[in-house]
Amino acid sequence: MAATVSRKLSNALEGALAGGGDPATSPLYVFGPFLKLIVVAGVADVTFGASVWLVVFTIAMVSAMYRLVMRWVTDGSGGSGLTEEEFGGWAVKINAGITFVEYTLTFLVSMAALVTFIADRVPMLNEKFLFLQYRAIVAVILSILTGWVVNRGPKTAAAIFGPATAAVLLLLWTMNIATIIKLGLHLPNFSLQAFQGEYLHYTLAGYARILAVMTGIEVFANLVAAYEGTPEEKSRKAFGSLLIIMGTAAATMLITGPAIYRLSDPTNPEVSVFTQTMDKLLPAPLAYAGTLIGVAVLLSASAASAQGLQNLALGLKSRHYVPEIIGRRNKYDVADVPVWIEVGIASLCFLFIGTREETYLSVYAAGVFILLSMTGWAASKRLVRELKAEFSISHAATLVGTVIAAFLTTGATIIIFAERFKEGAWTYFIFIPVLYAIFTYYRKKLGPPSPLAEELGRLEEAMWSVVTPGEAPPVTVTMPVVETTWEANPERLARWREPAQPPRHILVPLGGSVYAEQALEAAITLARANGGQITLVSVIRTRDPNPSDEQSRTMLQSMKQQKEAYLQKVAERVREQGVSVDYQVGIGPIADVLNQIAHERNVDLLIMTTHSKSAFQRWLMGSKASKILQLVNVPVLVFRPHRQVETPPPIKFDRILVPLDGSEYAERVLPYARALAAVFHSQIILLSIPEVPEPGLYGTMADVVAKLRAKAEAKSRAYLSAVAEVLREEGHAVEIVITGTDPARTILEVGEQRDVDLIMLSTHGHGALDRVFLGSTAERVVHHTQRPVFMLPIPEHRPER
């Protein structure tokens, strides 16, 4: 987890407040399951202190280990970045899978604890409405509202949820001070008996239940890039932030923990042990204020987990581990699909499993410690390599401490799985292999990304979206980036110079409306200019082209005759304009029929009109254009019909927009662009959307991303210049445009800004499921523009850039 803030963090306290919401909330809910176990078993007097001291020792050792991570990895990728460097590709997918699960569990635990805090003051929420507790309904409503706010962007989320971390830190220290004043300072007893006989099981089981107090520790390693100063100063400040938050958590365990044990009744199902203790230690107004603080910070933690999932999706999309739709930005420039997936999963869990936070804590802590143990062994591996290169006593001592931390986190992982396997930890043996397989599939399907996209993906995965006010001061960031200057491939240059063949045989589907006939104007213009011919097609849509009963056959024959009569009249009008024309009536699904006729007649181009639908209608029913694009393997020119006039204005293609991404796949549209430009004397506008988004979307990471963006823009400029040179040699007027982030949105915006007459794209067919997940820039453009769009279907295999 990481934090994206709109200005650089200047000190450790700012960092603690920006990214410490998740770990700071953990003392509010970890004591309940822990005390319920050992109090009911009657072993609390012996095991309580041992479990707490084990956790505090683990906090200390893991914190020291993260000091190393912060020194080594300063780009914001944290422990995940270190494990990727040391272990390679498999670690990327394991990290990503566990992180996805952890973000979802953070949302579940935080929202469940939030509802528990509300129910502490409003007991009726524990009652049922039909078969559901009211608290489950409240949890679902709050989850949906949180998702809606988060998907409106980090600034909106920050304005609504606010910096609640400062309030919860104040609450925890107020509890610590009140405990000392009222009860004195009584640290937990550490009894060796807790590690003997029957007590050992409860000591380790209690340890496993309160290890969730360490959730969120990774955020401070991810925050390094958000501070001002040199890399060493950044890492020092980030470690200071870690000490503030984890030090507060450890102090609360040692000071207030014994008070919670003495003053609360963990068997009380109506009120949490933390609220019971607040009510006895604090005056009534402060205790109720504490509840409000707890609700606010847990709501903030839920929102932060959703924002973390957004950034994880962006990073995985950039690195080609997930399909485009998962990381696609909405109009607020955030990936909204993962948040709704998270909200959906959480809502189902609340409705069918319940809203008690202890239900999810075991799975939550298990994932945290898998990641911590991977980081520990990655750090140990790097230290061993450094020690071999240069031996010193200090290096050796550091290695010993890091190995101890690695053993502790690995041991804690084993304990959690052993103790809580049946309570949910077993699910990792399903979740992680499934997610690993999904990441592997899409990486293979989409191919490896460029070095720039790979680097950007690591940064995106590391971000948290916690926004603070202010502007980022100018800073200098040193970051190794692979050089990406583009060199023209001679074979590709030669292919661009191949003579462009204009479309000579044009297929025009007609349904009988004047709007569909508007496609004829373009077909006639092209056919006349190139000495070509037109085939008119009308399709009788039916699932059974050869019905067995006489009545259906008669009806089908009658419809066919009506269609033929209609096509004959249209054909006569076309012939009057000096163009060769034929017609045919097809029977069956429209896309299948058109594809079959196009191949049988060796068609060069299909021209059609399409009607706009809402996003919901397109999802529910699809569209004629979408279905045809899936199946037809010839170029398609799509027009939006003019609704107000039966006779459309003359076709002109004065300005043609051709988006290119540097791949041979996209370049295959160039011969068609050249052919049309030669006929209409068009200006060709070459558009490249750099593979690195605009840096303004990245808060404090903006200076780092700006360097990547500059590299990406230079690469795009060199590439488009090479293409433009070839086109200008042929006498075409060419303009180069390099801008934007989201391909479809950028194409639409540039089309409007340049008032283009035609957009030309390459597209490719997928199976139905792949199309849903991989998405299609071409289809998004068709559905949202009023301008003609030319689409060239390309085989599914995409050549490397």
Side-chain angles (χ1 to χ4, degrees):
M1 300 178 184
T4 300
V5 290
S6 60
R7 65 180 178 84
K8 287 290 181 180
L9 301 170
S10 59
N11 56 59
L13 180 59
E14 282 192 1
L17 298 181
D22 182 22
T25 61
S26 56
L28 304 181
Y29 51 74
V30 296
F31 283 103
F34 167 48
L35 290 178
K36 189 179 296 184
L37 171 74
I38 60 177
V39 169
V40 171
V43 297
D45 289 340
V46 176
T47 64
F48 175 85
S51 296
V52 169
W53 279 110
L54 275 177
V55 169
V56 171
F57 179 67
T58 305
I59 290 174
M61 297 304 297
V62 173
S63 297
M65 177 187 74
Y66 266 95
R67 182 70 182 101
L68 293 173
V69 176
M70 292 170 183
R71 285 177 178 170
W72 291 333
V73 185
T74 59
D75 65 357
S77 59
S80 296
L82 179 65
T83 56
E84 290 178 25
E85 289 178 9
E86 297 299 328
F87 298 131
W90 68 266
V92 179
K93 289 178 272 192
I94 293 292
N95 273 325
I98 294 175
T99 303
F100 172 82
V101 175
E102 285 304 288
Y103 279 135
T104 304
L105 287 168
T106 300
F107 191 95
L108 278 165
V109 171
S110 299
M111 194 62 71
L114 181 158
V115 174
T116 295
F117 263 70
I118 297 175
D120 287 345
R121 303 303 184 191
V122 188
M124 71 162 291
L125 291 183
N126 294 314
E127 298 176 6
K128 288 188 176 182
F129 173 73
L130 299 177
F131 62 93
L132 288 175
Q133 280 189 313
Y134 285 107
R135 59 188 289 155
I137 299 172
V138 170
V140 170
I141 293 172
L142 288 176
S143 297
I144 294 170
L145 287 175
T146 301
W148 180 80
V149 170
V150 167
N151 280 335
R152 295 181 71 84
K155 290 185 179 180
T156 301
I160 292 177
F161 298 123
T165 306
V168 80
L169 289 177
L170 181 62
L171 172 63
L172 294 178
W173 281 107
T174 300
M175 291 284 287
N176 290 337
I177 294 169
T179 298
I180 294 172
I181 292 173
K182 287 199 171 185
L183 304 177
L185 179 60
H186 300 287
L187 298 179
N189 293 323
F190 186 84
S191 172
L192 292 176
Q193 188 180 1
F195 298 93
Q196 298 174 5
E198 62 175 319
Y199 295 114
L200 176 62
H201 166 73
Y202 289 103
T203 300
L204 296 180
Y207 173 61
R209 279 160 175 76
I210 52 176
L211 276 174
V213 77
M214 293 185 63
T215 58
I217 192 172
E218 167 78 3
V219 67
F220 301 105
N222 299 135
L223 266 176
V224 174
Y227 293 88
E228 294 176 347
T230 65
E232 178 55 36
E233 289 170 339
K234 291 179 178 184
S235 66
R236 177 172 48 80
K237 291 174 183 177
F239 186 63
S241 299
L242 180 150
L243 291 180
I244 291 171
I245 298 296
M246 300 314 298
T248 297
T252 304
M253 301 292 293
L254 295 173
I255 299 172
T256 303
I260 294 174
Y261 167 47
R262 290 172 57 186
L263 300 177
S264 68
D265 176 11
T267 62
N268 181 353
E270 301 297 323
V271 184
S272 68
V273 296
F274 197 90
T275 297
Q276 292 179 50
T277 308
M278 274 199 306
D279 288 344
K280 293 179 180 179
L281 286 178
L282 303 177
L286 284 182
Y288 277 86
T291 297
L292 293 176
I293 289 170
V295 169
V297 76
L298 288 165
L299 195 60
S300 176
S302 298
S305 77
Q307 291 168 321
L309 196 60
Q310 287 175 333
N311 294 321
L312 176 66
L314 288 174
L316 293 176
K317 184 198 75 171
S318 294
R319 304 175 78 179
H320 292 185
Y321 286 114
V322 295
E324 178 192 356
I325 191 173
I326 299 297
R328 183 182 297 164
R329 294 177 184 270
N330 64 10
K331 64 181 180 179
Y332 301 103
D333 283 316
V334 294
D336 55 352
V337 170
V339 175
W340 291 125
I341 291 174
E342 181 181 60
V343 168
I345 292 171
S347 298
L348 290 174
C349 288
F350 293 144
L351 293 174
F352 295 102
I353 301 177
T355 57
R356 298 290 178 180
E357 59 269 24
E358 58 263 32
T359 305
Y360 310 105
L361 275 174
S362 57
V363 191
Y364 187 28
V368 169
F369 274 83
I370 294 173
L371 294 177
L372 291 178
S373 59
M374 288 177 66
T375 301
W377 291 115
S380 300
K381 182 181 177 184
R382 181 158 177 170
L383 282 170
V384 168
R385 191 168 64 250
E386 291 183 354
L387 196 63
K388 288 180 179 179
E390 182 182 353
F391 180 84
S392 70
I393 298 299
S394 62
H395 273 75
T398 303
L399 174 60
V400 170
T402 305
V403 170
I404 291 173
F407 270 112
L408 270 174
T409 52
T410 303
T413 305
I414 294 170
I415 291 170
I416 292 170
F417 272 92
E419 292 292 334
R420 311 301 295 272
F421 185 81
K422 293 182 179 179
E423 299 174 39
W426 61 269
T427 56
Y428 278 93
F429 293 97
I430 297 176
F431 293 149
I432 303 309
V434 168
L435 289 171
Y436 190 97
I438 291 172
F439 298 151
T440 301
Y441 171 80
Y442 279 108
R443 179 78 168 203
K444 183 178 179 180
K445 185 90 173 175
L446 300 172
S450 70
L452 280 174
E454 184 76 27
E455 188 65 40
L456 175 70
R458 284 186 56 179
L459 294 175
E460 288 173 323
E461 288 173 33
M463 293 190 306
W464 253 38
S465 298
V466 181
V467 177
T468 59
E471 296 297 330
V475 292
T476 301
V477 177
T478 302
M479 181 176 177
V481 178
V482 178
E483 291 295 326
T484 56
T485 53
W486 188 88
E487 295 181 1
N489 183 302
E491 293 181 1
R492 288 165 69 176
L493 285 171
R495 187 153 54 249
W496 299 341
R497 290 188 170 93
E498 291 175 359
Q501 296 298 324
R504 299 187 184 279
H505 192 168
I506 302 169
L507 184 68
V508 181
L510 299 175
S513 71
V514 293
Y515 302 117
E517 290 178 18
Q518 291 181 19
L520 276 174
E521 176 69 22
I524 292 169
T525 301
L526 287 171
R528 187 187 293 139
N530 301 314
Q533 67 180 94
I534 296 173
T535 295
L536 307 177
V537 175
S538 191
V539 179
I540 301 172
R541 286 179 282 186
T542 177
R543 293 183 179 180
D544 185 8
N546 298 298
S548 56
D549 62 290
E550 184 63 30
Q551 183 178 358
S552 297
R553 286 198 300 271
T554 301
M555 184 180 300
L556 191 62
Q557 184 62 31
S558 174
M559 292 174 63
K560 185 176 181 182
Q561 290 173 353
Q562 291 175 12
K563 294 278 188 182
E564 287 176 341
Y566 162 69
L567 291 178
Q568 184 178 7
K569 290 181 181 180
V570 176
E572 289 173 359
R573 298 204 311 263
V574 173
R575 289 191 189 100
E576 289 174 359
Q577 301 188 52
V579 176
S580 175
V581 63
D582 193 5
Y583 60 87
Q584 180 176 342
V585 175
I587 302 174
I590 184 167
D592 292 326
V593 170
L594 291 178
N595 193 42
Q596 180 180 349
I597 293 174
H599 282 282
E600 288 175 352
R601 292 177 173 257
N602 198 25
V603 165
D604 300 313
L605 176 66
L606 187 154
I607 301 181
M608 58 178 286
T609 59
T610 185
H611 304 285
S612 178
K613 290 188 177 79
S614 68
F616 177 75
Q617 286 175 313
R618 288 197 304 273
W619 175 81
L620 188 66
M621 299 180 294
S623 74
K624 180 170 66 174
S626 296
K627 292 174 181 176
I628 290 172
L629 283 173
Q630 292 175 41
L631 292 176
V632 172
N633 293 319
V634 298
V636 179
L637 178 56
V638 178
F639 283 86
R640 189 82 71 195
H642 296 269
R643 293 288 182 179
Q644 303 302 322
V645 292
E646 291 190 9
T647 304
I651 297 296
K652 64 182 182 68
F653 293 144
D654 292 340
R655 286 174 294 279
I656 299 175
L657 179 62
V658 182
L660 299 174
D661 62 7
S663 69
E664 293 185 62
Y665 160 84
E667 290 165 9
R668 296 189 185 186
V669 79
L670 283 172
Y672 296 90
R674 291 159 58 210
L676 290 177
V679 171
F680 291 96
H681 307 290
S682 315
Q683 177 192 32
I684 298 176
I685 301 172
L686 300 177
L687 169 65
S688 177
I689 298 100
E691 55 195 329
V692 177
E694 293 164 336
L697 304 175
Y698 290 87
T700 54
M701 294 274 192
D703 49 0
V704 179
V705 176
K707 291 179 175 289
L708 294 177
R709 174 77 176 195
K711 294 280 186 179
E713 288 179 353
K715 175 183 177 181
S716 296
R717 188 168 290 106
Y719 166 64
L720 290 189
S721 295
V723 179
E725 182 180 353
V726 173
L727 296 177
R728 287 179 181 132
E729 287 176 1
E730 291 186 348
H732 299 295
V734 184
E735 180 185 357
I736 290 174
V737 178
I738 299 169
T739 188
T741 292
D742 177 78
R745 193 188 313 168
T746 302
I747 291 168
L748 293 168
E749 289 174 354
V750 172
E752 291 295 320
Q753 292 165 3
R754 295 298 197 279
D755 192 23
V756 303
D757 303 300
L758 177 65
I759 300 171
M760 302 189 70
L761 303 148
S762 294
T763 185
H764 59 100
H766 293 291
L769 187 61
D770 276 343
R771 285 189 64 261
V772 169
F773 289 108
L774 289 173
S776 170
T777 297
E779 288 186 49
R780 290 175 65 198
V781 170
V782 167
H783 288 308
H784 291 92
T785 186
Q786 295 298 316
R787 302 173 189 279
V789 181
F790 177 99
M791 288 162 288
L792 175 65
I794 299 296
E796 190 170 336
H797 172 70
R798 298 181 60 166
E800 298 292 338
R801 291 187 181 187

